[in-house]
Amino acid sequence: MHLAYPAVLAALLFCTGLYGVLARRNAILVLMSVELMLNAVNLNLVAFDVWLRDTLHAGQALTLFVIAIAAAEIGIGLAIVLMVYRNRGTSDIDRLRDSVESDATDEAAARSVAAGSAEARAGTGAPAKNAEATA
């Protein structure tokens, strides 16, 4: 078998996964797309291992490590997505990003208002003392 067949299949899988990461709004579908991209890498590792006739089978060993890392990544990622869904009620990535940005903006506005009111309180006391000193 030629090396081109698994390489083209891996390229198609990787492009499909990349499109899924960039276009999807659901966090679970994004995780599935990342898994597609990792499987494309695994396919390339095994194909090049067979093509190079490696006696140590380094491509297959690396594939096992990638599978183990992917299993841990999907377990942790799914746990994070479930916790976010329970807390926020949605797993839509755009809504989560907007809510984080609006929370940060609200906190920054609250800090500036608090700092402004503290300066205003301090500022009203200082001119009054100056006004009393000049009078």
Side-chain angles (χ1 to χ4, degrees):
M1 179 167 70
H2 296 287
L3 182 62
Y5 297 132
V8 168
L9 179 62
L12 288 174
L13 276 176
F14 192 84
C15 289
T16 304
L18 185 64
Y19 173 74
V21 166
L22 296 176
R24 298 292 177 195
R25 302 205 189 295
N26 191 348
I28 294 175
L29 292 177
V30 170
L31 286 174
M32 288 174 59
S33 298
V34 169
E35 289 296 321
L36 267 177
M37 292 178 3
L38 288 173
N39 285 332
V41 170
N42 287 340
L43 182 61
N44 269 334
L45 285 171
V46 171
F48 277 99
D49 182 48
V50 170
W51 184 63
L52 294 173
R53 294 184 177 93
D54 187 17
T55 56
L56 296 176
H57 299 292
Q60 293 177 15
L62 282 174
T63 299
L64 289 176
F65 283 118
V66 171
I67 289 171
I69 297 290
E73 174 257 334
I74 199 68
I76 292 172
L78 191 57
I80 290 171
V81 168
L82 287 175
M83 289 303 290
V84 167
Y85 181 76
R86 285 182 186 167
N87 290 334
R88 304 268 175 132
T90 183
S91 63
D92 188 12
I93 293 173
D94 290 336
R95 286 187 184 172
L96 295 177
R97 184 181 60 219
D98 293 340
S99 66
V100 169
E101 289 173 358
S102 65
D103 290 345
T105 306
D106 293 342
E107 288 176 11
R111 286 182 193 150
S112 66
V113 167
S117 63
E119 288 175 4
R121 280 181 276 165
T124 56
K129 291 179 183 176
N130 289 338
E132 289 174 3
T134 56

